């Protein structure tokens, strides 16, 4: 269900019209200014309708469009409509409008508006921590400021960067990613800035850099914390001047790129220890989005598991994997996920390819997960499942080592060949 904010002196009359389209929530003119502001800021609304016949509409439009798309409406007047669109309104409706027109405009925007209950785009999360992140992504998307995304490895930084681009006004233009840690300085320079023909031996042609190619769009600097001091200066210049020069070039080229950077390092600490430039840090960190580690939002695990099962299940052509047993979910809920969401995704993907049941069992999870499970747990109905999992894991690795030779595997496990064969059958290990 969409939450709509209506700002109009005629809000009461409009409410019945909106109700007829069966979209809820209104915030009528009776609310005081501060109350209205608070509502808008709380991120409760998905779409705003602003009557341009109300006082001070320009100011309101500028404030609102930071939070959500704004549909402006007024008596038919081209000049006002154009002014509203210039100030950032997403659409314009001429008063009076019918419920069909209203329903049409809402449906058009609905596709772009996201339900925040379960996730934002492909980013899943029901925890309060993630709901806050979704609000920040929304704000960052409509703003032009630089964004620094921080968080441990595997916590979803790249996913957030892509969402900001996708839901912002630059989405029709490119999103370019540069992984700063993976590339040595000289290569990084030619990748980012490009080069002119003859700039160095082997430069047989002129090549545009990523920044030029991203013109009008977004450039995502991944692992920005790993960039050398020399390169930090070059990036700072880009941020200050909005200009670049190709290697071997003789003139500056204007580029219009929005910069999003990410790191798993503590950059303010790096600034204090002198390995990262403070001025660059401030320039990048205009909007900071810090992704909490998964272990601090364990309530997101079931939803993520479900999401990853749906994502990876189609890889199994022989069986439909539908879900996970309570026992296996329990194991996951007691694990600390140092590798965050990426680790959880890998665990599920692996379980899907290993399992012989339509529901993932504890035995399908890696054994280190079972070992690290809390020792304080009470007598558990799934102890058998856990033991089976450890056994399965050991047998599997012995079989891999012996390249499928059962006698050899049995010998290394210290059991008889027939015993191993029985276990393979019982544990449904594919050989
Ligand atoms: N909230 C989430 N919902 C769904 N998938 C997620 C979520 N967070 C992360 N993922 C998935 O986890 C994997 C890792 O995410 P991502 O690459 O964005 O992490 P990262 O923070 O950039 O990691 P690194 O620091 O190692 O580069 C991806 O496959 C991504 O799709
Ligand atoms: Mg990443």
């Amino acid at each position: 269900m969409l939450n709509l904010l209506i700002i109009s002196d005629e809000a009461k009359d409009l409410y019945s019209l909106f109700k007829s389209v069966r979209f809820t929530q209104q915030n009528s003119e009776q609310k005081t200014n501060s109350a209205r502001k608070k509502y808008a800021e709380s991120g409760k609304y998905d779409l705003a309708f602003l009557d341009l016949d109300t006082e001070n509409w320009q100011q309101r439009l500028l404030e609102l469009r930071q939070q959500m798309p704004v549909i402006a409406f007024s008596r038919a007047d081209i000049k006002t409509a154009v002014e509203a669109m210039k100030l950032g309104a997403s659409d314009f409706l001429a008063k009076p409008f019918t419920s069909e027109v209203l329903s049409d405009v809402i449906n058009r925007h609905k596709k772009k508006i996201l339900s925040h209950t379960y996730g934002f785009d492909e980013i899943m999360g029901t925890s309060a921590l993630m709901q806050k992140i979704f609000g920040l992504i929304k704000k960052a998307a409509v703003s032009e400021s630089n964004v620094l995304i921080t968080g441990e490895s595997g916590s979803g930084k790249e996913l957030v960067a892509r969402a900001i681009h996708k839901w912002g006004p630059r989405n029709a233009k490119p999103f370019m990613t540069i992984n700063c840690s993976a590339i040595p300085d000289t290569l990084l320079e030619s990748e980012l800035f490009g080069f002119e023909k003859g700039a160095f031996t082997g430069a047989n042609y002129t090549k545009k850099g990523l920044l030029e190619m991203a013109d009008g769009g977004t450039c995502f600097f991944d692992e920005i914390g790993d960039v050398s001091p020399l390169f930090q200066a070059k990036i700072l210049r880009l941020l200050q001047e909005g200009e670049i020069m190709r290697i071997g070039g003789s003139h500056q080229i204007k580029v219009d790129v929005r910069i999003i950077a990410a790191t798993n390092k503590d950059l303010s600490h790096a600034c204090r220890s002198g390995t990262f430039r403070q001025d660059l840090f401030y320039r990048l960190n205009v909007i900071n989005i810090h992704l909490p580690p998964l272990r601090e939002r364990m309530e997101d695990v079931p939803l993520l598991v479900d999401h990853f099962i749906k994502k990876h299940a189609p890889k199994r052509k022989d069986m439909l994997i539908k879900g996970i047993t309570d026992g296996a979910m329990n194991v996951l809920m007691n694990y600390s996920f140092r590798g965050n969401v990426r680790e959880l995704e890998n665990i599920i993907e692996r379980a899907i390819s290993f399992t012989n049941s339509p529901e993932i069992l504890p035995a399908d999870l890696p054994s280190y997960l079972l070992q690290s499970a809390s020792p304080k747990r009470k007598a558990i109905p799934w102890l058998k499942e856990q033991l089976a999992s450890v056994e399965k894991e050991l047998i599997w690795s012995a079989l891999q080592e012996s390249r499928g030779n059962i006698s050899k595997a049995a010998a290394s496990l210290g059991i008889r060949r027939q015993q191993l064969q029985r276990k393979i059958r019982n544990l449904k290990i594919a050989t």
Side-chain angles (χ1 to χ4, degrees), residues 317-369:
K317 306 289 175 215
D318 57 332
M319 197 194 294
L320 178 65
I321 315 292
K322 289 195 219 129
I324 182 162
T325 61
D326 290 348
M329 182 60 88
N330 224 327
V331 175
L332 292 173
M333 292 301 285
N334 281 287
Y335 183 62
S336 59
F337 296 105
R338 295 280 145 194
N340 291 294
V341 186
R342 179 182 292 116
E343 184 178 10
L344 174 60
E345 180 167 7
N346 289 347
I347 289 171
I348 299 299
E349 189 180 356
R350 178 185 177 280
I352 284 175
S353 43
F354 275 114
T355 192
N356 284 314
S357 99
E359 289 199 314
I360 296 173
L361 303 166
D364 302 317
L365 303 174
S367 53
Y368 63 82
L369 234 102

Side-chain angles (χ1 to χ4, degrees), residues 166-186:
K166 184 168 164 192
W167 297 102
R170 292 172 174 262
N171 61 5
K173 292 289 170 71
F175 174 88
M176 293 285 182
T177 300
I178 183 100
N179 186 334
C180 305
S181 72
I183 309 181
D185 257 17
T186 45

Side-chain angles (χ1 to χ4, degrees), residues 122-125 130 134 151-160 179 220 222-223 262-264 291 297 300 304 307-308 311 340-343 345:
E122 283 170 48
I123 315 172
M124 299 292 135
M130 284 311 282
F134 299 153
E152 288 179 11
S153 182
S155 56
K157 298 186 290 296
E158 181 159 352
L159 220 51
V160 168
N179 186 334
F220 175 48
D222 204 0
E223 314 291 357
T263 180
N264 54 19
L291 283 169
R297 48 184 166 107
D300 287 339
L304 285 164
H307 172 69
F308 293 135
K311 181 171 166 187
N340 291 294
V341 186
R342 179 182 292 116
E343 184 178 10
E345 180 167 7

